[in-house]
Amino acid sequence: MSEQMTEHPLLRRRDGHHARVTYEELFFDLVYVFAVTQLSAKLLHGLSLTGVIETLILWFAVWLGWQYTCWVTNWFDPETPRIRSLIFAVMLAGLGMAAAIPGAFGERALVFVLAYVAIQVGRTAYIVWELGVDHPLSANYRRMLVWLLIAAVFWFAGVFAEGWARIGLWAIAVGCEYISPMFGFALPGLGRSKTSDWTIEGGHLAERCQLFVIVALGETLLATGVTLSHAESWDVTVLSAVLATFFGTLAMWWLYFGTSSKEATDTITHSDDPGRIGAYFHYVHAILVAGIIATAVGNDLVMAHPHDPLKLAYALVLSAGPGIYLLGSATYKKVVYGVVPVSHIVGAVVLAAFIPLAYTVDLLTMGWLTTLVMMVVGLWEGRLRRRRQEAAPRHAAH
């Protein structure tokens, strides 16, 4: 970041070292543990096409609220009183937003939208005000604010609609916020931002995304533990279900943290255009964490009804959760390594092939099958990573 951009008293001081994640940011993430739990519960109790689409829209809202705040705390110092107060205000609104998730497409639509728009528009307007007119970051934040205001129109319009009309309006609102960064928040008269202007601290952004993955995986384990604690007896079936869900979650952890997270940090830190890589992280993690949330729902079904026959909806969620995760992880690793891992594509295809088994096996069997696929993909990737590490010193020697 240039000297001009470090002159503002609220900006982080960049000294060439990795910017640490502050306690304020970790505290802020706690609200999103609750939000992810709410989303999982909504999907679990609404396994229909409409329920899936509604949950997807709400998930993008949750993710966008977190991600835009993450970019703010990458640039601005959360330990300064004014930015700390901003984070806590966003936390309070986030708590209201998360609490309204179960009724967001019902009686609490207005509460959800008020809380969400307050997060997005309120936070961004405050930053625009703090930056003033002439700061190098001001133009970017002004464009961002206008796009968020455009999205707010559709959020509020959806409150006064019902059914598929609300879904359509809110989908447009999500699109405005999710897609506009791809085009530099381009607007007539205001120009467009370039990723080369987003002088982010790459290591910090990578770590923030990694911490959100931990939040989502932690919620998955939490759900397994809660279901186990409510079980009348811990018999062989229940313990088998626990092992299936635990090892499936462990495989997801390994595929992210064991095979790519350090390299991802290095990739964005040493990139000539960290803003561009950061934008890729912004898009990819929304898909990756959506897979974790869907997998958590599948785990709940396996734990609660292990011997129930599979219905198509159950088979879809049990296969789709890990499948979405693998596709998100594959895209993530394409950003990190420049190649799509074959193991992930093969795993996703095998998971899709399991769907026709819906009428021949029970939930526990399906749970183990999907877990085994994830474990095999994890072992496959681990082996490839060891080969890359072994090859690196040889290339360095030449």
Side-chain angles (χ1 to χ4, degrees):
M1 186 178 282
S2 67
E3 291 185 7
Q4 184 186 17
M5 295 189 75
T6 59
E7 290 176 358
H8 197 284
L10 297 184
L11 288 170
R12 285 181 182 262
R13 295 290 176 251
R14 303 289 172 87
D15 56 5
H17 294 92
H18 176 70
R20 71 178 183 86
V21 175
T22 64
Y23 295 121
E24 288 84 355
E25 292 170 281
L26 295 174
F27 190 39
F28 170 77
D29 286 350
L30 292 178
V31 169
Y32 285 85
V33 177
F34 176 46
V36 170
T37 301
Q38 291 282 79
L39 288 165
S40 295
K42 177 172 176 54
L43 181 57
L44 179 63
H45 296 107
L47 282 177
S48 64
L49 177 62
T50 303
V52 168
I53 293 173
E54 289 178 356
T55 305
L56 188 62
I57 288 171
L58 297 177
W59 156 239
F60 271 104
V62 167
W63 173 253
L64 289 163
W66 181 87
Q67 186 66 44
Y68 275 64
T69 304
C70 177
W71 283 74
V72 167
T73 57
N74 187 278
W75 276 314
F76 297 88
D77 187 355
E79 295 182 325
T80 58
R82 281 180 283 180
I83 298 301
R84 182 188 296 126
S85 298
L86 174 64
I87 292 171
F88 292 163
V90 171
M91 278 184 71
L92 181 59
L95 189 62
M97 176 193 72
I101 282 174
F105 280 87
E107 72 283 358
R108 289 185 178 161
L110 182 58
V111 174
F112 177 84
V113 167
L114 283 171
Y116 179 72
V117 171
I119 291 171
Q120 294 292 75
V121 173
R123 179 200 57 240
T124 310
Y126 178 77
I127 294 297
V128 168
W129 179 72
E130 283 284 6
L131 285 173
V133 177
D134 299 324
H135 194 276
L137 282 174
S138 297
N140 180 61
Y141 268 95
R142 284 196 295 270
R143 297 180 192 111
M144 189 187 302
L145 178 59
V146 173
W147 271 107
L148 292 173
L149 286 169
I150 293 169
V153 172
F154 290 99
W155 283 115
F156 279 109
V159 171
F160 302 101
E162 295 182 357
W164 285 99
R166 178 177 294 174
I167 289 173
L169 289 165
W170 284 4
I172 295 172
V174 164
C176 288
E177 298 184 30
Y178 186 70
I179 297 173
S180 58
M182 299 180 188
F183 303 98
F185 302 106
L187 286 163
L190 291 179
R192 62 184 297 167
S193 304
K194 294 182 291 185
T195 57
S196 57
D197 296 332
W198 298 346
T199 48
I200 62 171
E201 207 293 310
H204 173 269
L205 185 65
E207 187 175 352
R208 294 297 288 127
C209 290
Q210 290 158 9
L211 287 170
F212 200 102
V213 173
I214 284 287
V215 165
L217 290 173
E219 194 281 329
T220 303
L221 289 177
L222 177 66
T224 297
V226 168
T227 306
L228 178 62
S229 70
H230 292 160
E232 293 182 3
S233 63
W234 291 10
D235 55 22
V236 173
T237 298
V238 169
L239 295 178
S240 178
V242 169
L243 290 174
T245 56
F246 177 78
F247 283 118
T249 305
L250 187 62
M252 288 193 293
W253 178 91
W254 172 251
L255 282 167
Y256 187 89
F257 292 98
T259 64
S260 62
S261 63
K262 292 180 181 178
E263 289 87 345
T265 300
D266 291 341
T267 296
I268 190 171
T269 300
H270 298 106
S271 171
D272 294 332
D273 188 358
R276 179 176 56 86
I277 304 296
Y280 290 158
F281 279 21
H282 168 83
Y283 307 129
V284 170
H285 279 79
I287 300 167
L288 200 146
V289 179
I292 298 176
I293 293 171
T295 300
V297 172
N299 289 349
D300 285 344
L301 292 170
V302 171
M303 287 290 298
H305 313 286
H307 289 311
D308 279 14
L310 269 179
K311 295 187 284 189
L312 182 59
Y314 293 174
L316 286 172
V317 76
L318 280 164
S319 293
I324 292 168
Y325 182 83
L326 286 178
L327 293 175
S329 180
T331 309
Y332 180 57
K333 288 171 182 175
K334 175 65 168 66
V335 174
V336 175
Y337 299 118
V339 294
V340 175
V342 175
S343 61
H344 290 51
I345 304 303
V346 172
V349 170
V350 172
L351 287 167
F354 282 163
I355 295 174
L357 294 174
Y359 301 103
T360 62
V361 298
D362 59 18
L363 279 162
L364 180 58
T365 302
M366 188 70 167
W368 268 112
L369 287 171
T370 57
T371 290
L372 288 172
V373 170
M374 298 298 285
M375 292 174 68
V376 168
V377 173
L379 291 171
W380 187 345
E381 276 299 290
R383 189 175 179 182
L384 290 176
R385 184 171 188 263
R386 286 192 297 273
R387 288 181 179 175
R388 283 193 296 267
Q389 290 174 331
E390 291 169 357
R394 292 199 295 270
H395 290 308
H398 291 298

